[in-house]
Amino acid sequence: MQNLLYDLVELLSKDDRLVVNGELLKNKVIELALSLDSKLLKILLQSEKVKEHFFVDIDGVLVFDKIKFQKFVSNKEFLPDSFTAFKNKIGLMDDNGDYISNSQNVVLAWPYKDCVLEGGQTKEDEKRDEIFWNETLAPDEIDRLLSPKVFTGWKRCDIKGEHNIIGRENINFQNENLIIRGNNLFALHSIYEQFARKIKLIYIDPPYNPESKANTFCYNNTFNETTWLTFMKNRLEIALSLLTPDGAIIVAIDENEFLPLGMLLRQIFKNYEIHCITIVHNPRGVQGTNFSYTHEYAFFVIPKGRKTINDRIISQDDIEWSNLRNWGTESERTDAKNCFYPIIVDPETSDIVGFGEVSEDNYHPESINIKKGKSILVYPIDSNGIERKWRYARQSVEEIQHLLRARIKSKVWDIEIGKDFGQYKTVWIDPRYDANEYGTKLVKELVPGCKFDFPKSLYNVYDCLYSVVANDKNAIILDFFGGSGTTAHAVLEINKNDKGERKFIICEQLYYAETITKQRVKQVIINNKIGSFIYLELMELNEVYINKIKYAKTSKELITIWEEMQCKAFISYKIDSKIVNSYITEFKKLSIEEQKRLLIEILDKNQLYVNYSEINDIDYQVTDIDKRINRMFYGEV
């Protein structure tokens, strides 16, 4: 296909009508093709390869397939001076894939919908902008891309420090906390065999996509929203296969991709309820043209027909107290015999220390309080002396004793009830959700000197996780946009508070997976004096060269990298190195950004990391220790 493209460009360039300032006029090419321009057809017939592809021999007569030719030219854009080829085009198409210029039946086409978007990342040291070097791959281009990968760099971290895993110990990875460094799409496919249908909750805070300098999702094409959606779609589809039948996923997002993300979630999670929660995370607000934004969103995607969201815990300061004594109609003693009994209070401590038996029908206390030894017996009698009843019968009141308190009101002891739990509401407001106070500052306390933009508030994430896994102390929680490690931190805090044994799996590709994420979680474990995790990395192949390209500063460095790539890297089968080398002069005229994009596109994306199926290939130099641990991970030991 690549050679066909070069042949076609070379042929078309011979027609002066089609070239202006050295560039082909694609629309003019299509116009002449659809009108069956004789001069154009004669030019096309000069190439056997072009003739074979766009002409059909019917009984010795060559028939030009103008529709096939139009689709080829329309859907691919080739600029000789920038080496850019095979770039999809967005537009309105009919349900047969034809543009609306040829049809009356119109649907909205999503250009990358059925493709895989490889989302490699980097983070520039100065501007600290995350960049996703995306490659759009059609399904028939993928053979090795999503195969399980080899892991390396194994370390166990606990309260005693960091230790090498030597490969002799047997590890049950479902009982371990994991921090994985590497491309999250490949990491998800690599953990599938071990964790399919094992994940109770997925919490992700993906890169946001605003039309501003705050954009944390940059890419090498002009299809802003569709690129972001494809990037998310590829990852959400494999994530779905990891969830337990009662598992849930929570996706944090801001207003920019809020609506498209909701539609994408509905498309992928067909048998799930989707609830959108508003969380006030920046009370100071971010100034916009018309509004100051103080909130973001969290989509809760939960199985239909299940009670998935647990009751929330209400802080003592926010509990609403009311009388345990009934009032109004059907509130008198005679309305429920088992609800008239004394509650025993220690006046020294104000504690409720017990409950008396149901009073005999002929016993009528002379007042609400009866002194008995050092205790006070409190009866459900109102201020007018009317015998009422407690709201809970004697046989069930002890179950809610922790919700009760004794207070002196109008100089007598009375009993109040206040629930410390309640249903979650759709708007969350709490000072603890402040991302600056409980995100940025907290991370810097744990990892002094670190620079990390926009970490989530620990308590924002804590409450999201708690709402799903509060009653599952053995749940596995996955976050494949791990960032600074807030999700791991929150899991450890939940376990500390209720002595749970929940596990986390964190995936992060950027350099700070080791320098910030790992260090933060290590410090939390040291502070809590309990816990451990295993740190591991995807074993790099072509990813080594992608990283070299990203951090190169000059064209000279990039040319040196290209020379090394030709000897050691895996080059895309579509690339002819000789042709690329012949354009070195033009290459030097490109911007450094364009040069980097070109070299990254030349690499075979099926070969970014070492495949587990090739772990014994001596060219990859996988150590014996790594081989053994990988076999344990993939269940072969």
Side-chain angles (χ1 to χ4, degrees):
M1 187 66 71
Q2 188 81 351
N3 291 333
L4 172 64
L5 184 64
Y6 283 126
D7 285 356
L8 183 58
V9 169
E10 185 177 352
L11 285 174
L12 295 175
S13 298
K14 295 178 179 179
D15 191 335
D16 294 338
R17 299 172 299 170
L18 305 179
V19 181
V20 174
N21 296 326
E23 293 188 5
L24 283 172
L25 300 176
K26 183 173 64 177
N27 291 336
K28 186 66 175 178
V29 173
I30 295 172
E31 177 189 335
L32 294 178
L34 293 178
S35 65
L36 299 177
D37 180 81
S38 59
K39 183 177 179 181
L40 174 64
L41 295 180
K42 289 178 180 178
I43 291 174
L44 295 178
L45 288 170
Q46 293 175 13
S47 167
E48 288 298 322
K49 191 171 297 180
V50 172
K51 181 167 66 174
E52 179 183 346
H53 197 78
F54 296 114
F55 290 81
V56 180
D57 189 329
I58 301 178
D59 295 332
V61 178
L62 289 178
V63 179
F64 178 51
D65 190 338
K66 65 180 182 180
I67 301 301
K68 183 177 182 180
F69 182 84
Q70 179 197 13
K71 285 184 178 181
F72 184 88
V73 176
S74 295
N75 286 302
K76 312 295 179 182
E77 180 179 73
F78 179 68
L79 302 176
D81 59 339
S82 67
F83 296 93
T84 304
F86 297 109
K87 297 302 181 187
N88 287 31
K89 176 181 179 181
I90 188 170
L92 291 176
M93 308 176 78
D94 66 17
D95 50 11
N96 293 317
D98 295 320
Y99 283 89
I100 59 174
S101 59
N102 301 321
S103 174
Q104 299 299 316
N105 301 316
V106 179
V107 296
L108 182 62
W110 172 0
Y112 300 149
K113 190 172 182 180
D114 298 319
C115 298
V116 170
L117 204 62
E118 183 279 313
Q121 275 182 277
T122 186
K123 196 172 179 71
E124 296 178 2
D125 292 336
E126 295 180 0
K127 296 182 180 179
R128 309 198 64 77
D129 294 326
E130 296 180 7
I131 298 175
F132 289 75
W133 294 92
N134 297 322
E135 182 84 5
T136 307
L137 302 175
D140 59 359
E141 294 181 285
I142 301 168
D143 51 9
R144 300 163 40 91
L145 186 74
L146 302 180
S147 299
K149 309 303 179 192
V150 172
F151 291 105
T152 188
W154 306 84
K155 301 282 185 181
R156 181 180 292 281
C157 301
D158 54 29
I159 58 175
K160 295 181 180 178
E162 190 171 305
H163 323 281
N164 289 322
I165 296 178
I166 59 176
R168 291 196 297 268
E169 57 185 302
N170 290 319
I171 303 172
N172 182 347
F173 286 94
Q174 293 177 20
N175 291 332
E176 300 283 351
N177 294 310
L178 304 176
I179 295 181
I180 303 171
R181 181 181 179 184
N183 184 296
N184 60 6
L185 180 61
F186 307 143
L188 288 173
H189 282 273
S190 296
I191 68 172
Y192 173 81
E193 195 165 329
Q194 182 71 244
F195 292 97
R197 302 300 177 193
K198 299 287 196 311
I199 306 296
K200 179 62 176 284
L201 173 62
I202 297 173
Y203 175 92
I204 56 173
D205 180 23
Y208 292 176
N209 191 25
E211 295 180 357
S212 71
K213 293 181 179 179
N215 195 340
T216 58
F217 184 79
C218 301
Y219 34 81
N220 63 341
N221 62 49
T222 57
F223 300 137
N224 181 320
E225 193 164 280
T226 52
T227 303
W228 188 89
L229 283 170
T230 303
F231 176 84
M232 292 298 299
K233 175 178 179 286
N234 298 151
R235 286 147 181 80
L236 290 171
E237 285 175 333
I238 178 64
L240 172 60
S241 68
L242 296 171
L243 287 176
T244 61
D246 62 342
I249 181 168
I250 302 172
V251 186
I253 199 66
D254 70 358
E255 71 281 358
N256 292 283
E257 295 295 352
F258 157 65
L259 293 175
L261 176 61
M263 295 299 293
L264 178 62
L265 291 172
R266 289 191 183 281
Q267 175 184 316
I268 296 174
F269 295 87
K270 298 184 184 301
N271 296 314
Y272 288 74
E273 299 175 14
I274 300 177
H275 301 272
C276 185
I277 307 304
T278 299
I279 303 176
V280 177
H281 73 302
N282 184 1
R284 291 164 295 281
V286 176
Q287 189 65 45
T289 303
N290 295 300
F291 296 96
S292 178
Y293 280 89
T294 62
H295 71 281
E296 62 182 3
Y297 303 98
F299 279 106
F300 280 67
V301 185
I302 60 179
K304 287 183 179 178
R306 291 179 180 266
K307 170 60 176 170
T308 300
I309 304 301
N310 301 292
D311 289 326
R312 67 188 178 98
I313 298 297
I314 301 173
S315 67
Q316 290 295 315
D317 293 338
D318 294 331
I319 293 176
E320 296 181 1
W321 297 92
S322 61
N323 285 329
L324 182 65
R325 184 180 65 251
N326 253 159
W327 61 89
T329 58
E330 298 184 355
S331 65
E332 296 186 12
R333 175 179 181 176
T334 54
D335 293 319
K337 178 180 178 180
N338 288 345
C339 293
F340 192 86
Y341 52 86
I343 295 178
I344 306 169
V345 175
D346 181 345
E348 294 294 327
T349 63
S350 300
D351 292 335
I352 295 172
V353 295
F355 304 89
E357 296 303 316
V358 174
S359 299
E360 297 292 336
D361 291 345
N362 60 359
Y363 175 70
H364 302 282
E366 58 190 39
S367 68
I368 183 174
N369 291 167
I370 302 295
K371 186 175 177 58
K372 184 177 181 180
K374 293 183 178 181
S375 300
I376 298 293
L377 305 185
V378 182
Y379 286 89
I381 300 174
D382 66 18
S383 57
N384 295 321
I386 299 175
E387 293 180 346
R388 303 284 183 180
K389 65 183 181 70
W390 299 121
R391 289 154 63 181
Y392 286 81
R394 176 62 184 87
Q395 63 267 26
S396 60
V397 69
E398 292 181 21
E399 297 175 7
I400 53 95
Q401 182 175 350
H402 64 288
L403 303 178
L404 305 179
R405 73 177 182 182
R407 290 189 65 201
I408 294 179
K409 296 190 295 186
S410 301
K411 299 182 179 181
V412 296
W413 286 96
D414 206 348
I415 307 299
E416 293 181 334
I417 184 171
K419 293 183 178 180
D420 61 357
F421 62 91
Q423 193 171 38
Y424 282 90
K425 298 180 180 180
T426 55
V427 178
W428 294 10
I429 302 175
D430 192 309
R432 301 178 310 137
Y433 299 153
D434 188 325
N436 183 56
E437 293 297 322
Y438 299 100
T440 304
K441 292 183 179 179
L442 188 149
V443 173
K444 289 182 178 179
E445 288 175 4
L446 292 168
V447 188
C450 82
K451 294 180 180 180
F452 190 90
D453 298 329
F454 315 120
K456 277 282 188 293
S457 161
L458 170 65
Y459 302 104
N460 178 338
V461 178
Y462 183 109
D463 285 356
C464 286
L465 304 187
Y466 187 86
S467 70
V468 177
V469 302
N471 295 329
D472 188 348
K473 294 187 176 183
N474 296 298
I476 301 176
I477 296 102
L478 167 65
D479 181 353
F480 51 88
F481 290 100
S484 68
T486 306
T487 298
H489 189 169
V491 171
L492 294 172
E493 290 301 308
I494 295 174
N495 285 342
K496 182 180 74 171
N497 292 336
D498 68 2
K499 295 181 173 55
E501 296 184 2
R502 302 169 187 84
K503 303 301 179 186
F504 61 76
I505 303 173
I506 302 297
C507 302
E508 178 53 59
Q509 178 170 347
L510 297 184
Y511 70 92
Y512 51 69
E514 185 168 14
T515 60
I516 296 178
T517 312
K518 183 173 77 170
Q519 299 307 319
R520 173 184 184 175
V521 180
K522 280 173 60 176
Q523 191 58 51
V524 172
I525 286 173
I526 291 171
N527 293 348
N528 291 352
K529 296 182 174 59
I530 188 172
S532 68
F533 66 88
I534 292 176
Y535 175 84
L536 58 156
E537 301 177 347
L538 294 177
M539 190 172 186
E540 296 179 341
L541 205 58
N542 270 354
E543 187 72 17
V544 172
Y545 295 99
I546 287 181
N547 288 327
K548 287 184 177 182
I549 293 167
K550 289 173 183 175
Y551 294 109
K553 301 297 183 183
T554 65
S555 294
K556 185 176 180 180
E557 288 181 72
L558 290 172
I559 291 174
T560 301
I561 293 170
W562 165 237
E563 291 171 351
E564 183 181 350
M565 284 167 53
Q566 293 180 78
C567 298
K568 298 181 180 180
F570 289 88
I571 305 300
S572 171
Y573 72 92
K574 297 183 293 185
I575 301 299
D576 186 333
S577 299
K578 294 180 180 178
I579 293 177
V580 177
N581 284 331
S582 69
Y583 281 99
I584 288 297
T585 301
E586 285 79 5
F587 178 86
K588 293 178 180 178
K589 297 177 183 178
L590 302 177
S591 69
I592 188 78
E593 193 75 4
E594 290 173 322
Q595 291 173 348
K596 288 184 177 184
R597 287 173 180 170
L598 165 62
L599 291 184
I600 288 175
E601 289 184 11
I602 284 173
L603 288 164
D604 183 354
K605 301 309 180 298
N606 284 302
Q607 304 273 4
L608 291 175
Y609 297 92
V610 178
N611 277 2
Y612 176 67
S613 60
E614 299 172 356
I615 194 170
N616 291 318
D617 191 322
I618 60 174
D619 289 340
Y620 301 138
Q621 299 180 343
V622 182
T623 67
D624 290 340
I625 291 175
D626 276 347
K627 287 179 182 178
R628 174 171 170 75
I629 303 175
N630 274 275
R631 286 170 182 147
M632 277 193 286
F633 185 87
Y634 288 109
E636 296 185 4
V637 174

